Amino acid sequence: MSTSKTITFTLFIATVLSSCNAAANATAQPLFPAILIFGDSTVDTGNNNYHSQTIFKAKHLPYGIDLPNHKASGRFTNGKIFSDIIATKLNIKQFVPPFLQPNLSDQEIVTGVCFASAGAGYDDRTSLSTQAIRVSDQPKMFKSYIARLKSILGDKKAMEIINNALVVISAGPNDFILNYYDFPSRRLQFPHISGYQDFVLKRLENLVRELYSLGCRKIMVGGLPPMGCLPIQMTAKFRNALRFCLEQENRDSVLYNQKLQKLLPQIEASLTGSKILYSNVYDPMMDMMQNPSKYGFKETKRGCCGTGHLETSFMCNAFSPTCRNHSEFLFFDSIHPSEATYNYMGNFLDTQIRGWLEA
């Protein structure tokens, strides 16, 4: 069976099983005691709302329009993002709160929070332009979280939760968009993309090792999506009226992911008691783009908000026209997937995680 057909079949089976088990899952035991999330806007559930300096925020409509309260929450899509969907599927909680949200309850702390910041990257230079909370600074927030958790549960129980929590790391696209492709500030230092990839991967490795030193043991690390198929990247390429995916950027993503898949087992082997999972986002997203009708998508080359070519963050706002049926668009804005896309991704990765636990 081809990779494309395998991915499609896996997603279909996962979706059917998810639907059939919905009632059972409501009372099922969580697969992890907590979820802890680091990275960028793909997993930021609203930290940037409380970080005054940052440029990228999603605390205005149409972001959040399909959430239960129909209000923007800081999530860069029309509804739930990947963080919430995975937490729900693993029976941990329905929504993962941002750590910077004031007045978090003890129960929210105990079951996990999000430290991610939209616009962040592994490369600290990325956050210089976006004023996001650098990925390298997110462990500082985590240390504050650990202190709060210990004050609630005591040292021993708190560390048991951290040792067994699912840690999700999702970042990387901002590094390449803001430092290499669209604004080539790193090209002088790294004339070849391979060198910059190695630099980014070293930063990622440093993060994993720091989180391990703080007690994290079960870590899922996301790869890059097909970067050349992001609507904003299609727009950035002049004379691309037909909006083809940029094949060189996609090849770069594949190479980065291959390096990451080779690196993670090496890190795991050097960290006693760790389990590290590579999260494949490239193949399922590419399958959705190549076979949109299988997923109910009618548009894959532009976002639902505005023209769908450039709009994101403050450019996607209450004055922007939006598509009629959000679930028919793979992307909600020019960078971020729609809730429908995140749901399909969640089905695929839920299957990956459950297989990882049984291995």
Side-chain angles (χ1 to χ4, degrees), residues 218-285:
K218 298 175 181 178
I219 303 170
M220 181 171 73
V221 181
L224 289 179
M227 295 283 293
C229 293
L230 299 179
I232 198 166
Q233 292 307 97
M234 293 185 199
T235 303
K237 182 72 171 178
F238 296 115
R239 297 185 295 279
N240 190 17
L242 297 178
R243 299 189 66 76
F244 293 117
C245 290
L246 309 184
E247 291 306 320
Q248 184 56 56
E249 291 188 14
N250 283 352
R251 284 193 291 270
D252 293 343
S253 296
V254 170
L255 177 60
Y256 173 94
N257 291 339
Q258 289 171 344
K259 290 180 177 181
L260 179 59
Q261 285 176 272
K262 183 178 179 181
L263 174 64
L264 293 180
Q266 295 171 0
I267 299 174
E268 180 182 278
S270 70
L271 300 176
T272 305
S274 69
K275 289 191 73 172
I276 303 176
L277 173 67
Y278 166 71
S279 169
N280 179 3
V281 298
Y282 186 101
D283 289 334
M285 281 202 73

Side-chain angles (χ1 to χ4, degrees), residues 54 57 125 134 137 148 172 176 237 255:
T54 189
K57 299 180 191 291
R125 183 173 287 185
R134 297 183 298 186
D137 283 340
R148 170 93 187 265
F176 294 96
K237 182 72 171 178
L255 177 60

Side-chain angles (χ1 to χ4, degrees), residues 316-329:
C316 173
N317 54 57
F319 299 102
S320 306
T322 54
C323 60
R324 182 172 297 177
N325 191 335
H326 306 156
S327 64
E328 291 180 350
F329 276 62

